[in-house]
Amino acid sequence: MSYEASPSNLKQAMFVGHTAIALAAKTRTPRVSLGWLVAAAFGLDLLWPIFLLAGIEQVSIVPGATAFNPLVFDSYPWSHSLLMACVWGLCAAGVARWIGTSNGVAGLIGAVLVSHWILDWVSHVPDLPLWPGQ
Ligand SMILES: [Zn+2]
């Protein structure tokens, strides 16, 4: 059996990558729930449907748009731009700090959240904005 690179395999690899980041962070922060680390790793994808339902971000359904799904991301700068990923990472770190984690753990949680943008940037079609309004 051989492994063939395809858009579907790339998307699966991206999900594995987000999960791998959470698992790697867990080895560094054994007292933090893996659930919170997974939530941080997928954080931008958790924000996206909320912004979509609120009408802040837009998507079109175009059958056959990609091999993985029929979604064309028309606009998603508030959940998936690099600038906002950093803002959301700072917010996550701030919440972690507020509930009593150390600065190091809070920083790691923020970095895990920002890592989502990097992995999406590698695996998406080139549609990820750097900042809102770009
Ligand atoms: Zn994403």
Side-chain angles (χ1 to χ4, degrees):
M1 175 186 268
S2 65
Y3 179 81
E4 185 175 325
S6 70
S8 179
N9 289 344
L10 192 58
K11 198 76 169 181
Q12 290 170 352
M14 182 188 65
F15 282 110
V16 170
H18 293 318
T19 305
I21 294 287
L23 290 170
K26 179 66 176 169
T27 66
R28 308 285 287 182
T29 58
R31 295 179 58 172
V32 175
S33 163
L34 179 60
W36 285 115
L37 294 170
V38 170
F42 285 92
L44 302 184
D45 286 349
L46 297 176
L47 292 171
W48 177 71
I50 296 168
F51 295 157
L52 195 62
L53 289 171
I56 298 168
E57 297 189 339
Q58 288 79 40
V59 66
S60 298
I61 298 174
V62 179
T66 70
F68 182 71
N69 66 45
L71 302 178
V72 173
F73 301 97
D74 298 323
S75 172
Y76 59 163
W78 299 104
S79 65
H80 274 78
S81 68
L82 176 58
L83 175 66
M84 290 310 296
C86 292
V87 168
W88 298 124
L90 285 172
C91 289
V95 169
R97 193 68 193 103
W98 181 62
I99 63 172
T101 65
S102 68
N103 285 337
V105 169
L108 183 63
I109 289 171
V112 166
L113 201 144
V114 173
S115 76
H116 184 104
W117 189 91
I118 297 166
L119 293 180
D120 275 5
W121 181 75
V122 170
S123 61
H124 270 227
V125 295
D127 64 351
L128 286 172
L130 295 178
W131 57 83
Q134 179 190 12

